[in-house]
Amino acid sequence: MHHRPPPLNAVRAFVAAARHLSFTRAGQELGVTHGAISRQVRQLEDYLGVELFERRTRQIVLTAAGAQFLADTAPALASISAAAEVFVGRSAPRVVRINVRPSFAVRWLIPRLPDFVARHPQVKPEVVTSTLAPEKALESFDVAIRRGRRGWPPSIEARGFMQDEGLVVAAPELLRVRPVDRPADLAGHVLLYSRSRRADWEAWSAQVGRPRARQQQTLQFDHLHFVMQAALDGLGLALAPVSLLGHDLARGRLAAPLPDLRLVLDRYYYGVAPDAGPPAQLFVAWLQDVARAETRQLLKLAGAAAS
């Protein structure tokens, strides 16, 4: 029977390693070496008398005991952090670190953050952009937002919060010169797409029954944000997520010539890190409120943009 608690640093090392499923990324988060994390986890395993990780070539996987220990200890560490914030956070703003893809940051999150700050002035949001999946994140975060259920670490429960659809959009001036009244009219335009969403046009064409044009012009960009900027500048047609179109449709910078022909996209999910503090819960509550209020409004706006 143990007469002393387990070493807290070892528990923190274990939780970080379990969240990332990587000793290296856990070390980056805690500011120590890969070897230090490995030694601390081994020290904890010796204390508990069980293996917490199955160590494979260039990979670690939680054992059943490790998963149970994570479920029990991660909330306890969060409670310790919350208790400390009562004292050290009185004069300093509390921080919530939000990991999102660049396009989502620029076109959805950042324009709406003033509302969150107005509701919770005591919380400072820090936006970290990354194209990596949450399970491969190089920096620590409190909340991550991504499309779909793939790429989430086992320690984080991904929860859906916003549906989305792809919509054909273009600059109004381009559509005045070369109108698009039916899918076949796309043959006379340049189709814009991003490296990460290169299959969207093909999926949309198959869905609406549009045969692929032999001489169809296309233009690829690294990120969706660049695709949408190219559409604003009149370079061609973009098949863009409705969730990222709100401001441009509302202000008439983009128009939707085929509003009823939409491509169903993976919904957005958010996940909260096991050791995230109370500011993360305030943020996700706000996130859900905004998403619920905007989903129906954006879809109606997309229809109105065609007229």
Side-chain angles (χ1 to χ4, degrees):
M1 180 176 180
H2 294 291
H3 297 287
R4 57 183 176 82
L8 185 58
N9 281 341
V11 176
R12 290 179 65 236
F14 161 73
V15 170
R19 186 169 63 252
H20 294 292
L21 289 180
S22 167
F23 290 158
T24 299
R25 289 197 290 271
Q28 292 170 342
E29 175 183 328
L30 299 179
V32 297
T33 65
H34 167 283
I37 295 292
S38 179
R39 288 190 295 273
Q40 288 174 337
V41 170
R42 181 62 72 186
Q43 179 185 8
L44 182 61
E45 289 176 323
D46 291 341
Y47 175 91
L48 297 173
V50 296
E51 293 285 332
L52 298 173
F53 291 106
E54 179 183 341
R55 292 158 174 84
R56 301 176 181 175
T57 304
R58 297 186 179 181
Q59 183 183 16
I60 56 173
V61 179
L62 281 168
T63 63
Q68 181 61 56
F69 192 67
L70 176 65
D72 293 338
T73 55
L77 284 181
S79 296
I80 293 172
S81 297
E85 284 184 7
V86 172
F87 297 95
V88 302
R90 285 172 178 166
S91 58
R94 295 182 292 171
V95 174
V96 55
R97 289 176 58 82
I98 310 144
N99 182 301
V100 294
R101 291 183 65 91
S103 298
F104 187 85
V106 171
R107 295 195 166 268
W108 195 94
L109 180 58
I110 291 175
R112 292 161 178 78
L113 274 183
D115 179 67
F116 174 77
V117 174
R119 294 194 204 183
H120 305 288
Q122 77 280 16
V123 177
K124 178 183 177 183
E126 292 185 357
V127 179
V128 179
T129 61
S130 173
T131 58
L132 298 175
E135 67 180 356
K136 297 182 179 179
L138 300 179
E139 299 180 68
S140 64
F141 60 81
D142 299 305
V143 180
I145 301 172
R146 290 293 190 280
R147 286 191 189 277
R149 290 184 173 276
R150 298 180 62 183
W152 293 91
S155 59
I156 294 180
E157 179 185 0
R159 299 182 179 182
F161 79 97
M162 188 165 63
Q163 298 282 4
D164 206 2
E165 295 176 316
L167 188 66
V168 177
V169 293
E173 181 59 32
L174 177 64
L175 294 174
R176 279 193 288 270
V177 175
R178 279 176 282 169
V180 173
D181 298 316
R182 52 181 183 155
D185 294 334
L186 269 64
H189 287 270
V190 177
L191 304 187
L192 312 172
Y193 66 97
S194 67
R195 191 185 306 273
S196 61
R197 305 203 63 85
R198 65 179 65 190
D200 282 358
W201 276 117
E202 186 173 343
W204 182 88
S205 295
Q207 179 175 298
V208 304
R210 170 187 176 258
R212 185 172 183 175
R214 289 185 179 181
Q215 303 299 324
Q216 182 72 65
Q217 292 181 289
T218 61
L219 193 56
Q220 176 181 286
F221 296 85
D222 284 341
H223 300 294
L224 182 59
H225 174 60
F226 300 147
V227 171
M228 297 178 70
Q229 186 59 52
L232 287 166
D233 291 337
L235 292 181
L237 302 178
L239 182 57
V242 172
S243 62
L244 308 185
L245 288 171
H247 290 282
D248 293 319
L249 290 176
R251 297 170 185 174
R253 294 193 296 243
L254 288 174
L258 303 170
D260 297 326
L261 302 180
R262 301 173 183 170
L263 176 68
V264 176
L265 302 176
D266 289 339
R267 70 186 306 185
Y268 282 103
Y269 288 78
Y270 72 84
V272 180
D275 58 351
Q281 298 304 325
L282 293 176
F283 178 80
V284 298
W286 170 82
L287 192 69
Q288 292 171 316
D289 283 345
V290 173
R292 279 194 296 265
E294 289 194 355
T295 297
R296 287 191 294 269
Q297 178 184 351
L298 282 174
L299 293 176
K300 291 179 181 177
L301 186 61
S307 58

